[in-house]
Amino acid sequence: MDTVRARLDLAYDGTFFHGWAAQPGLRTVEGELVRALSLIARQEVAVTVAGRTDAGVHADHQVAHVDLPAQVWDSLPGRSSRTPEDALVDRLASLLTRAHGDFMKAHGLVSPRGYCDVALLSSHRVPETFDARFSAVGRHYVYRLLDQRADSDPFSGRRIWTVPARQTLNLEAMAEAASSVIGEHDFLSFCKPREGATTIRTLRQLDVVAAGETSPILVRVHADAFCHSMVRSLVGALIDVGTGRRSPAWMRHLLDERSREAAAPLAPAHGLTLAHVDYPPADQWAQRAQQTRAVRSLGCC
C-alpha cells in the first residue's frame, strides 16, 4: 500500500498526561495522538517520536512522524482549498480538543472553551528517509526553578518548580558543578537504565541562567540523546549543590561512581520542558538514521 510520511511538530502541557508513551488505561500524549490519527485514517496507525517524555513533563516543540495511506492523505482537504498538511493540522486539532474536553468533564475539571493541552504546530510531507527518532542529532531541555529571589507566578506554576523553603540558590556553585560533567560520559548515576542499553551520552550543554532578578532560573540542557530521567537527575543534583547540601565537586564524583546505589536525586517533572529537537539537513536524514540504528542494534542507546 502506498503511504505518505508526515512530520508532526507539536507542543503539549504534560500536567494531565502520564508521559508520552501509550499505556493501557492511562491518558498519554501518544495515546491521544494515535487515537485521533487512527480516526482520520480509518485504520490503526503508529507514531514515532523524537524523544519520550516522562509523566508531567511538557514540550514546547516535540517532533513525531506518521505514515498515512496515500489515499487518506490526498483526501484530507475534502472540497476545501487547503493543503493536505493544513487540513491534517485542522482535523487533528478538532479531534484532540474534543477529547480533551471530554477528559476534563469526566474528571470534574474546567478549562477555557476550545482549549486543548496538545497543540499541533505544523505538519509537513517528508520523504521516508526522515525518522523523527533516529534522524535527530540533538535534544534541548529547559528546567525552570523559582527560588527566594524570584516572584511567584500563579499562572506558570505548572511549569516551574519552587525550591523548598524558597531558599536562595548559589548559582556560581551550580555552574561549577555543571561544567564538570560536560562531554561524553557514562551517566549511569544520572539515569534509570533500560535492559540491554548503554547509559553513555554526549552532554553538550548544562548551564544555569538567571534571566532576571524577579524571573525564574533556567537550567538549559543539550545532548545528543538522553537516558530515562537523565535531565531530571542532572537538575536534582544541581539543586543539591545550589542549596549547599553538596559541594560542586560532588557532581563529578557522582558521575565517576557510575552506580545506581549513588544515584542522583530526581527533580520534579513539572519544571521540565522539551524545548527543541535538532535535525541535520534533509540530504543527511537517511545517513543519520542508519548510523543511529546501527548503534541501537549494538545495545548502545
Side-chain angles (χ1 to χ4, degrees):
M1 178 177 61
D2 291 337
T3 60
V4 170
R5 178 158 295 183
R7 168 176 167 164
L8 305 174
D9 291 62
L10 62 152
Y12 47 86
D13 178 339
T15 303
F16 296 117
F17 287 111
H18 291 267
W20 169 271
Q23 303 175 61
L26 297 177
R27 185 173 185 257
T28 68
V29 184
E30 181 183 26
E32 294 296 289
L33 188 59
V34 166
R35 186 177 297 111
L37 285 165
S38 297
L39 285 172
I40 292 171
R42 295 187 177 88
Q43 65 182 57
E44 290 295 319
V45 299
V47 171
T48 299
V49 71
R52 291 178 292 180
T53 48
D54 292 342
V57 176
H58 317 287
D60 285 338
H61 197 168
Q62 174 73 277
V63 181
H65 81 250
V66 61
D67 292 327
L68 295 173
Q71 184 178 1
V72 170
W73 178 263
D74 293 338
S75 67
L76 284 170
R79 297 181 179 179
S80 73
S81 59
R82 296 173 298 174
T83 64
E85 286 87 349
D86 289 341
L88 180 58
V89 169
D90 291 344
R91 294 186 64 179
L92 279 174
S94 177
L95 290 169
L96 290 168
T97 300
R98 186 185 310 162
H100 173 263
D102 292 342
F103 167 81
M104 298 294 280
K105 183 178 179 180
H107 289 79
L109 302 170
V110 178
S111 64
R113 185 175 181 179
Y115 170 79
C116 184
D117 50 6
V118 182
L120 267 295
L121 306 176
S122 64
S123 75
H124 299 282
R125 181 172 182 168
V126 290
E128 291 187 0
T129 53
F130 176 81
D131 187 295
R133 178 188 178 193
F134 292 123
S135 295
V137 294
R139 285 87 171 165
H140 300 255
Y141 282 87
V142 174
Y143 197 100
R144 293 173 172 85
L145 290 164
L146 199 68
D147 73 351
Q148 193 175 49
R149 288 166 293 194
D151 294 334
S152 296
D153 183 354
F155 299 104
S156 59
R158 288 182 178 179
R159 294 167 65 95
I160 299 175
W161 182 55
T162 301
V163 177
R166 292 297 295 273
Q167 302 172 71
T168 300
L169 295 173
N170 184 335
L171 304 188
E172 291 184 0
M174 293 171 72
E176 180 182 345
S179 66
S180 71
V181 296
I182 296 294
E184 182 181 280
H185 306 287
D186 185 343
F187 284 92
L188 178 60
S189 298
F190 296 89
C191 295
K192 293 181 180 179
R194 302 182 190 277
E195 185 176 354
T198 188
T199 48
I200 296 175
R201 295 291 188 272
T202 301
L203 184 62
R204 298 167 179 159
Q205 178 187 26
L206 179 62
D207 58 24
V208 184
V209 179
E213 292 184 0
T214 60
S215 301
I217 295 164
L218 306 181
V219 180
R220 302 182 301 192
V221 194
H222 173 209
D224 57 341
F226 292 94
C227 315
H228 185 210
S229 297
M230 178 175 165
V231 181
R232 291 170 58 197
S233 292
L234 289 167
V235 175
L238 286 176
I239 292 170
D240 271 7
V241 172
T243 57
R245 294 185 67 244
R246 301 283 189 173
S247 70
W250 168 76
M251 195 156 174
R252 178 64 195 217
H253 174 74
L254 188 61
L255 176 75
D256 293 339
E257 283 287 296
R258 296 192 296 275
S259 169
R260 291 307 299 164
E261 294 180 4
L266 275 179
H270 70 271
L272 182 59
T273 300
L274 173 62
H276 191 69
V277 182
D278 295 329
Y279 292 94
D283 61 358
Q284 298 177 26
W285 288 344
Q287 180 182 4
R288 172 61 183 179
Q290 183 178 14
Q291 291 172 342
T292 308
R293 285 194 184 92
V295 172
R296 300 290 195 270
S297 68
L298 295 174
C300 294
C301 298

